[in-house]
Amino acid sequence: MTAMPSTELPANRRDIRPGPIIAWTVLLIGGLIMVTPLLFMFSTSLKTAGQVYDLRLIPAAPTFDNYLKVLGDGRFMQWFFNSTFIALTVTVSNVFFDSLVGYTLAKFEFRGRYFIFLAILSTLMIPTEMLVIPWYLMSSQLGWLDTYWGIMFPGMMTAFGTFLMKQFFETVPNDFLEAARVDGLNEFTIWWKIAMPMVVPAISALAIFTFLGNWTAFFWPLIVTTSKELYTLPVGLSSFAVEQSIKWEMIMTGAALATIPTLLVFLVLQRFIVRGVMLAGLKG
Amino acid sequence: MAKIELQGLVKEYAKTRAVHGINLTIEDGEFVVFVGPSGCGKSTTLRMIAGLEDISGGNLLIGDEVVNQREPKQRNIAMVFQNYAIYPHMTVGQNIGFGLYTSKLPKAEKQRLIEEAAKVLGLEKLLDRRPAALSGGQRQRVAIGRAMVREPAAFLFDEPLSNLDAQLRAQMRLEIKRLHHRLGTTIVYVTHDQIEAMTMADKIVVMRDGHILQVGTPTDLYEHPVDIFTARFIGSPSMNLVSGTLSAGGLAIEGTKWDGGKLDFPDAPIKIGVRPHDLIVGTEGPGLTLSGEVVAVEPLGSETLVHLAVGGETVIATAPGRVVPKVGSTLAARAEPGSLYLFDAATERALGRA
């Protein structure tokens, strides 16, 4: 048997294409720009007060003392709980209400549907800073200042979430919903049992955006709360900076701890975003 | 099981009328196929029967009761959709069992019904699989299983096979027909594929532009179409049509010869229809003889479809056996007396056979 001539080029003679090299270089630079502050945050959290201005990335004598101090401080744990509770509640509320309204706008024909959708969208054009005063006045009159509800109510349902969910529900084929209707389900059960599982990627995206947005929210929680027990983590951490001399190592430790839930949320939910389940039930 | 009656059923969308007051009785246990081109109103009619579309006028009776205002679930019908509509987040077993979601049967009984349906459809080993891991035919069977498990008064099928390949479609046609024999439930089936209609139906309803053109058995429709549309729609390949004139009991057609005796029709311009399988190449005798140049051939193995250019029109004839005529050659094809369909050229209505 004779050997067939190989059609493959030797590895060192492959064409070097500039496209991927440029793309990787740009991505690398972008990644470094974003990661560097985070690395310094972790690095500073491992330094003592005297080493903070020593800008070496790897501390000369790394220590976990700051973590022990922050975790041992009851206020931090309280703020951590406040942030978790608020971010989770608002996320669940958004997933429920934004989906319900988005589904109704996407799948039901009724008079004024378009107008309602436009009205909801138009609220996206108003900056938060303009809304803070009416929110504050409303909270003040209704006795919501310095309450969890006061912090949460502006974000319990968002125009962005409604818009996102409506767009996704529009991609759910009506056949699924009609099949369920013929099977005798009521409209709420159709939404909950059939439509919602088909937009899991959208729900995950909405949950991540909402959780992160509320976890890092600073402006409104700062305005609506005066009692330190109700501070959220960002507001609490900023108070570290102003109450005495600025303790950078403590602030960085708190910030480092604050990133953990956001990373967890992303790691848990990202796979649902990638997984497109919906088309599997349709024609092959 | 139930009889379904459509009494002057109308569907209007804003100012457009999609279904124009149709009347039809579907007997208990009958397999009725609605057939017609896209936009003819067949799916709309089916959806009105299902309760997925409001009825704009007329009455719909299921089992002698007017059900116009009833919700789909109150009509006790089951529907199989073109896209199967089986839920991707549920297993095969859960999908089939979903038909019983609102049923108050005990869990064990539901499980028994699911297993029974799965057995009939050959899905027993797939009950724990997700739809993504199934083939097109298996998915369609799951959809049928979900409909079956409820033991409905009638099954409605909305073009259920159009997403399957030709081989699977033929297999599923047979399976659905067998299922109908086994269950004896009324089936209303919508398709644009006349082969499905011919092979499955007890009764075919031909629709066009929201009107019923003809109702009959497959043989009725094939042998006695009421107009050119039905004649060309039923039968594959489509019926050939050539223009001609009836005069003094004879047929005058450009490029053809009529040798089939005197015809008892009044003089008029007509269209003459002849089915490709009645127009045989290379035979001699009385009847209609067409001759022309071969412009294309479609060998099918046991026979060949031959496209002939006759007087500016192309007609399809059949060459029996395995000899494939050459493109460019000239051939004559003959149709026996009695195999022709005559239509009025102006109204396109059938005049009779010749």
Side-chain angles (χ1 to χ4, degrees), chain A residues 79 218 222 231-244 246 251:
Chain A
W79 298 336
F218 178 74
L222 175 73
Y231 277 3
T232 58
L233 208 45
V235 178
L237 286 177
S238 78
S239 73
F240 270 169
V242 289
E243 63 187 15
Q244 311 137 16
I246 298 175
I251 294 171

Side-chain angles (χ1 to χ4, degrees), chain B residues 57-107:
Chain B
N59 279 327
L60 173 72
L61 285 81
I62 297 180
D64 296 326
E65 281 181 72
V66 177
V67 295
N68 287 28
Q69 301 301 327
R70 291 204 192 155
E71 291 290 313
K73 61 183 167 190
Q74 295 165 328
R75 300 186 185 195
N76 191 25
I77 37 94
M79 188 156 167
V80 177
F81 292 81
Q82 182 177 1
N83 288 334
Y84 323 143
I86 50 172
Y87 310 122
H89 53 286
M90 295 181 195
T91 63
V92 168
Q94 287 167 333
N95 262 291
I96 295 177
F98 207 77
L100 297 169
Y101 187 82
T102 51
S103 151
K104 291 186 174 69
L105 288 173
K107 216 174 168 184

